[in-house]
Amino acid sequence: MLDARTATAQPAAIRREDYRPPEWLIPSIALEFDLGAERTIVRARLSVERNGAEQAPLRLNGEGLSLIEVMVNGAPADHIYSENILTVEGVNSGDTVETIVEIAPAANTQLMGLYASGGILCTQCEAEGFRRITFFPDRPDVLSRYAVRMIADKALYPVLLANGDPVGSGDLEHGRHWAEWNDPFPKPCYLFALVAGDLEANRDTFITQSGRTVDLGIWVRTEDLPKTDHAMAALKASMAWDEKVYGREYDLAVFNIVAVSDFNFGAMENKGLNIFNSRYILADPDTATDADYDAIAGVVAHEYFHNWSGNRVTCRDWFQLSLKEGFTVFRDQQFSADQGSAAVKRIEDVRALRAIQFPEDAGPLAHPIRPESYIEISNFYTATIYDKGAEIIRMMRTILGADGFRAGTDLYFQRHDGEAATCEDFVKAMEDANGADLSRFRLWYAQAGTPRVMADLRHDEASCRAHLLLEQAVPPTPDQPDKQPVPVPLKIALFGEMTGEKYADRLIVLEEQAQEIVFDGIGERPILSINRDFSAPVIVEAARSSEDLAFLSANDDNPFARYEAMQQLMLDTIIAAIRSGAADHGPVIEAVRQTLSGTALDPAFVGEAALLPSEAFIGDQMETVDPDAIHRAREALRADLGTELESLWRAAYARNAANRFEYSPAAKGARRLRTIALGYLMASGGADVPALAMRQFGEADNMTDRQGALGVLVNSDAAERDDALAAFYKRYQGNALVIDKWFGVQALSTRSDTGEVVQALARHPDFTLANPNRLRALVGSFAANQRALHAPDGSGYRFLADMIIAVDRLNPQTAARLVPPLGRWRRFDASRADKMKRELMRILAEQGLSKDVFEQASKSLG
Ligand code: TRP
Ligand code: ZN
């Protein structure tokens, strides 16, 4: 059998400009699976039609398939299977091409194609996994009607699911059975799915706006059934929301979700049969945090929304990936904002964007949301495609207004329903529905790099005028040395320093490289509030004093801007401390005191506002990142905040205690603030605090409070730390998703021994490279822990590289996602940079390296 890892040393790049329409179309396909974990036989019957005049032979993708037979119209056919392409000779339009192959799901450690997860057989085909199941033109612009027949052992696999509607099932001899499913909607093969397993469903129904009944099922192992109610509620809420907000109705009679434990990403939007990483389905108060509950609702919504933005209208080629992902992330963000606090949701989304996408856009792997080339498409499921993509959709809505945007999406769906579309089609629909000109806006699709906006506000008292000078610069990125200015929608307000009066509140679209805006009738010095709601994904540089930032953090009527002012004040203070060895913590302490005493504020917001910027984000502001200095300066500010505001933290801690668990925005906010207060109390060094944390840990009736207390203890030297870790492990042993938390919380610890602890945990019997969740919990968390990863002796880099090399042999896609932290070497001192480069070179010297890791490591080296 051909192994994907025997790829050549220098895999070729695929370029967007080389796109050509397919030579053949496959209007329909009939698939027959004789399922077994060790051995599965796949018989595929393709109806083929020539597309265009060229007399090209039929070429089908296939990877790691044991070919048994090729037939055309029932007769054996001449063929060549070489370099992952099956070429069939003598095929004419209208013929039926049949292949029979054998595959081995249990041996599939890549988790792409058909694989086994804890006794369940399931598929993952996006982006190019279908070619690991059968021979097919594996590209998203070939849309086919699917008929699927599955045969399997009834005891091992009593449930057989596929896309679309069930059309029949029955028993066979020898304890076997069969089931057939038909999907009436033509789809690209990346949306194909099947599942076979011993599963049970949480069933419900949804009545669509036109009155059709949809049977809903969330399929899990029997013991997990009690943990599916939250996901089901989220699914029904998503279906109703998409009707209300986008006018999009579900189109099949059945919608199924299956949860599996081994999954490369979060979830997959296969038509009518979503497959999920179990961490985005299973929840109950004892095992899932509020953040888990929120993520479940967000991912369920995301995959459901893909039914229109992704499935009914799909992508022409993988360079258009952001067409479905950016838009769908934007839709799930809007949905989540509507479920609770929109301001807190925006703060969380922007924090994630800055933590992952900004560094990506500033480093060697920077790419536009519509890339020009790739070696391995799996490497382009990035924060840029997803999250910057969502910001770009959001900006169009900000510029066109809510109604104009809706008119644009209506036109887009109407024009392209059933088609494989491009990003250009989306922008064109926005333009045509609004009579707008977005020609310059298109640069956001083409240019990488986070734009910088410099804002300078001047006031002339005599004329009662304020002048705002805005300038922008888009930084150079790999392959893009010169950039053009982009339209930047900036929500701006001016507040009077003396009266607090709001003088202006408006949207300015900065179109040029530089632009001056004049505000009249301003009799006192104005304070600038800019990029309110984070209206553009840019870095704003505006020289504002700590007094002005403190004013905004207390008085701005835009909650996001308020949070932002506090963050800026904290950042300025920490950076000043790093530069000069010490800084005046007073303004931050006063600003946090104000926020904590603001009784009218939502506790969830107060919690977010009181959080210090992460060590990594502080590092992003520095010419050369100094992890130890950052850690010291940040901890010093934490300690002062804890000590100076101790009574307020104690009051917040007491005030936000609950009697009984409840999942509501108010209860979530109280839990969030309570654990943040506990963290500051720990930083204050209060002698009773470890015991307080231990009490919260022991008495908690929910995972948010329990894990919150554990997270605080794990950063400390208190004796209670080890007791809590041991108790947590004992209580949840055997629950994979919670044991992931146990690994993760230790890998994220700010203590100086985290590197050694993580290396020891990699030898723990519960650790495995084969399960992506477990790997991400330990190694992914460690790689995100700036201080631990960047240990001066290079031990963190060595460990990470060892893990990448080991995982690459099993699961290249997952291994490649661990590479980017090593690619940040340019940002560190020479000693660290040198050690990081050496590890990248060591990785590249590996025999049989996957093209996934090859691409990320070679680009990272630069
Ligand atoms: N389309 C999926 C989503 O965003 C992402 C995804 C799931 C994926 N599994 C994958 C992408 C495997 C690449 C490979 O909803
Ligand atoms: Zn998606």
Side-chain angles (χ1 to χ4, degrees):
M1 207 178 284
L2 245 172
D3 187 343
R5 284 177 44 80
T6 53
T8 48
Q10 292 277 347
I14 319 261
R15 288 178 323 192
R16 185 169 71 91
E17 65 188 17
D18 291 343
Y19 173 82
R20 298 288 176 279
E23 288 157 347
W24 292 85
L25 299 178
I26 316 290
S28 66
I29 172 173
L31 282 164
E32 210 176 285
F33 289 85
D34 193 336
L35 291 163
E38 305 304 324
R39 187 181 118 100
T40 288
I41 303 292
V42 186
R43 181 190 293 258
R45 261 189 303 270
L46 282 56
S47 69
V48 304
E49 261 171 29
R50 260 192 203 288
N51 187 39
E54 277 181 61
Q55 289 307 300
L58 178 69
R59 273 190 286 256
L60 305 172
N61 303 98
E63 204 177 279
L65 306 173
S66 294
L67 179 54
I68 298 174
E69 216 171 319
V70 182
M71 286 173 291
V72 176
N73 300 329
D78 282 349
H79 61 270
I80 306 164
Y81 179 26
S82 155
E83 311 225 347
N84 296 334
I85 299 282
L86 177 72
T87 306
V88 191
E89 303 290 344
V91 180
N92 296 301
S93 225
D95 285 354
T96 299
V97 175
E98 186 169 345
T99 64
I100 303 175
V101 302
E102 182 184 326
I103 52 179
N108 181 352
T109 58
Q110 296 184 29
L111 315 185
M112 290 295 288
L114 178 67
Y115 65 94
S117 175
I120 300 167
L121 297 178
C122 66
T123 55
Q124 172 56 40
C125 294
E126 188 179 4
E128 297 179 335
F130 194 66
R131 63 185 63 182
R132 295 167 51 78
I133 295 175
T134 191
F135 288 104
F136 200 77
D138 191 352
R139 45 187 290 166
D141 57 352
V142 173
L143 277 63
S144 320
R145 283 202 175 77
Y146 281 68
V148 178
R149 179 180 167 88
M150 291 164 282
I151 302 170
D153 183 280
K154 195 172 181 176
L156 287 172
Y157 308 109
V159 173
L160 302 173
L161 307 171
N163 313 92
D165 301 308
V167 290
S169 62
D171 287 339
L172 298 166
E173 295 180 313
H174 312 300
R176 293 155 62 77
H177 70 147
W178 63 275
E180 284 181 14
W181 292 70
N182 281 353
D183 182 356
F185 291 95
K187 64 169 178 285
C189 65
Y190 82 86
L191 291 172
F192 167 80
L194 78 74
V195 173
D198 189 358
L199 299 161
E200 259 190 90
N202 179 349
R203 292 175 194 273
D204 209 328
T205 56
F206 179 81
I207 316 252
T208 70
Q209 60 186 8
S210 70
R212 287 181 307 102
T213 300
V214 183
D215 289 322
L216 311 175
I218 298 185
W219 298 82
V220 296
R221 294 174 310 178
T222 307
E223 63 266 34
D224 289 331
L225 258 188
K227 296 182 182 161
T228 54
D229 288 343
H230 174 64
M232 181 59 86
L235 174 59
K236 292 165 73 180
S238 305
M239 296 177 86
W241 188 92
D242 211 16
E243 291 182 346
K244 191 176 90 184
V245 179
Y246 282 88
R248 299 293 118 200
E249 183 175 331
Y250 188 64
D251 49 13
L252 287 161
V254 173
F255 187 80
N256 283 318
I257 292 177
V258 179
V260 298
S261 309
D262 304 276
F263 201 76
N264 280 347
F265 287 86
M268 181 62 211
E269 69 263 25
N270 318 298
K271 183 79 188 188
L273 177 57
N274 288 184
I275 299 180
F276 271 62
N277 186 325
S278 54
R279 67 176 299 199
Y280 293 114
I281 290 294
L282 304 179
D284 65 14
D286 185 50
T287 58
T289 62
D290 294 336
D292 294 329
Y293 273 72
D294 291 350
I296 287 167
V299 178
V300 167
H302 179 99
E303 305 310 332
Y304 174 73
F305 295 157
H306 268 315
N307 190 57
W308 275 96
S309 50
N311 301 2
R312 289 288 288 255
V313 183
T314 192
C315 298
R316 187 191 72 172
D317 55 73
W318 292 121
F319 297 101
Q320 318 299 326
L321 182 58
S322 200
L323 174 68
K324 73 176 177 83
E325 295 304 346
F327 184 26
T328 304
V329 169
F330 176 65
R331 279 150 55 68
D332 83 55
Q333 289 178 349
Q334 279 183 297
F335 167 79
S336 297
D338 281 357
Q339 307 299 301
S341 162
V344 169
K345 173 65 179 160
R346 190 68 184 133
I347 289 167
E348 290 167 354
D349 289 341
V350 172
R351 189 180 284 139
L353 187 80
R354 285 173 168 158
I356 304 160
Q357 200 277 324
F358 276 25
E360 184 169 274
D361 227 356
L365 299 171
H367 51 278
I369 68 160
R370 185 186 53 212
E372 295 300 337
S373 79
Y374 60 77
I375 292 175
E376 169 53 62
I377 186 57
S378 297
N379 287 330
F380 283 78
Y381 286 75
T382 59
T384 296
I385 303 289
Y386 276 67
D387 301 335
K388 186 176 184 179
E391 293 299 324
I392 286 164
I393 302 294
R394 182 184 295 266
M395 284 192 288
M396 280 190 270
R397 185 173 185 269
T398 301
I399 290 169
L400 299 170
D403 294 344
F405 181 74
R406 171 66 195 269
T409 60
D410 282 353
L411 183 59
Y412 168 73
F413 287 125
Q414 178 217 316
R415 263 188 194 165
H416 300 291
D417 188 11
E419 289 181 8
T422 62
C423 295
E424 173 56 28
D425 292 329
F426 188 91
V427 178
K428 191 78 175 54
M430 284 292 150
E431 280 184 327
D432 292 351
N434 289 279
D437 177 5
L438 295 171
S439 34
R440 290 195 62 78
F441 189 86
R442 284 175 172 79
L443 286 166
W444 280 106
Y445 282 87
Q447 294 188 158
T450 308
R452 279 178 188 273
V453 172
M454 285 67 73
D456 187 14
L457 182 66
R458 305 236 163 111
H459 181 234
D460 179 37
E461 214 152 328
S463 62
C464 292
R465 266 199 178 153
H467 297 252
L468 177 63
L469 182 65
L470 296 172
E471 282 187 72
Q472 64 166 300
V474 188
T477 48
D479 302 328
Q480 294 188 332
D482 301 307
K483 298 286 178 30
Q484 296 179 53
V486 288
V488 184
L490 292 166
K491 291 191 191 168
I492 285 176
L494 300 181
F495 294 93
E497 163 181 51
M498 310 297 293
T499 62
E501 187 181 333
K502 187 157 77 173
Y503 288 102
D505 188 350
R506 60 158 136 140
L507 176 71
I508 290 166
V509 184
L510 171 61
E511 301 269 2
E512 309 298 326
Q513 192 272 321
Q515 204 168 314
E516 193 182 80
I517 298 111
V518 178
F519 300 87
D520 279 313
I522 300 175
E524 58 184 315
R525 190 180 72 85
I527 296 171
L528 175 66
S529 172
I530 185 168
N531 208 18
R532 295 151 69 80
D533 292 325
F534 204 70
S535 56
V538 299
I539 295 166
V540 174
E541 289 170 12
R544 285 175 295 184
S545 65
S546 36
E547 290 76 22
D548 286 1
L549 292 172
F551 173 90
L552 293 171
S553 86
N555 299 301
D556 202 315
D557 60 341
N558 183 285
F560 180 83
R562 228 166 139 151
Y563 157 83
E564 190 77 335
M566 180 78 92
Q567 285 287 298
Q568 193 62 53
L569 180 57
M570 290 167 163
L571 267 182
D572 291 352
T573 305
I574 293 169
I575 301 275
I578 294 167
R579 292 232 169 93
S580 56
D584 179 7
H585 290 167
V588 173
I589 292 168
E590 284 322 303
V592 175
R593 187 196 305 280
Q594 279 254 8
T595 302
L596 272 177
S597 333
T599 43
L601 291 172
D602 168 11
F605 174 80
V606 174
E608 298 304 329
L611 273 184
L612 291 173
S614 73
E615 292 185 5
F617 187 60
I618 299 163
D620 293 339
Q621 321 303 312
M622 298 174 68
E623 199 75 48
T624 302
V625 184
D626 183 342
D628 308 304
I630 292 169
H631 179 74
R632 279 196 304 273
R634 187 174 180 277
E635 288 306 305
L637 180 55
R638 264 176 72 73
D640 274 2
L641 278 166
T643 314
E644 298 293 321
L645 304 178
E646 187 184 335
S647 55
L648 281 173
W649 295 123
R650 288 204 187 261
Y653 191 78
R655 189 168 59 241
N656 288 289
N659 296 325
R660 204 169 41 79
F661 176 80
E662 191 193 311
Y663 177 71
S664 66
K668 283 191 318 189
R671 283 191 287 274
R672 179 96 169 121
L673 181 52
R674 189 160 189 256
T675 288
I676 288 168
L678 183 67
Y680 275 112
L681 286 171
M682 191 66 108
S684 79
D688 62 325
V689 182
L692 194 64
M694 202 60 193
R695 191 171 332 126
Q696 175 174 323
F697 177 85
E699 290 173 3
D701 68 348
N702 65 84
M703 181 54 84
T704 305
D705 287 343
R706 179 166 292 120
Q707 192 187 329
L710 184 65
V712 169
L713 283 165
V714 118
N715 292 338
S716 80
D717 298 323
E720 286 84 347
R721 175 187 197 267
D722 292 347
D723 298 343
L725 280 170
F728 192 90
Y729 182 80
K730 189 153 169 268
R731 179 178 171 122
Y732 295 108
Q733 192 170 10
N735 182 325
L737 294 176
V738 186
I739 295 301
D740 288 342
K741 297 176 185 300
W742 184 79
F743 279 97
V745 81
Q746 296 182 76
L748 286 170
S749 169
T750 57
R751 273 164 54 124
S752 58
D753 63 351
T754 297
E756 292 139 56
V757 169
V758 168
Q759 295 201 32
L761 284 172
R763 294 186 295 270
H764 191 282
D766 287 350
F767 182 71
T768 167
L769 299 174
N771 178 265
N773 287 357
R774 186 58 49 88
L775 183 79
R776 276 188 290 261
L778 185 66
V779 186
S781 303
F782 172 75
N785 183 336
Q786 181 165 277
R787 186 173 184 228
L789 175 66
H790 296 283
D793 65 356
S795 55
Y797 309 140
R798 202 174 324 118
F799 171 73
L800 181 57
D802 285 345
M803 288 290 140
I804 291 167
I805 291 166
V807 178
D808 193 45
R809 302 198 174 107
L810 300 171
N811 187 334
Q813 215 174 82
T814 302
R817 294 180 91 81
L818 295 171
V819 175
L822 290 173
R824 305 199 61 229
W825 56 269
R826 286 171 191 76
R827 311 272 300 109
F828 289 81
D829 57 86
S831 164
R832 285 188 171 95
D834 187 55
K835 294 183 172 76
M836 293 166 88
K837 281 195 282 187
R838 264 194 244 199
E839 295 303 334
L840 286 167
M841 288 189 282
R842 180 160 72 89
I843 292 167
L844 284 168
E846 272 296 302
Q847 282 294 308
L849 195 69
S850 69
K851 59 178 179 170
D852 308 57
V853 171
F854 170 80
E855 177 171 39
Q856 299 305 73
S858 57
K859 287 182 175 172
S860 294
L861 218 38

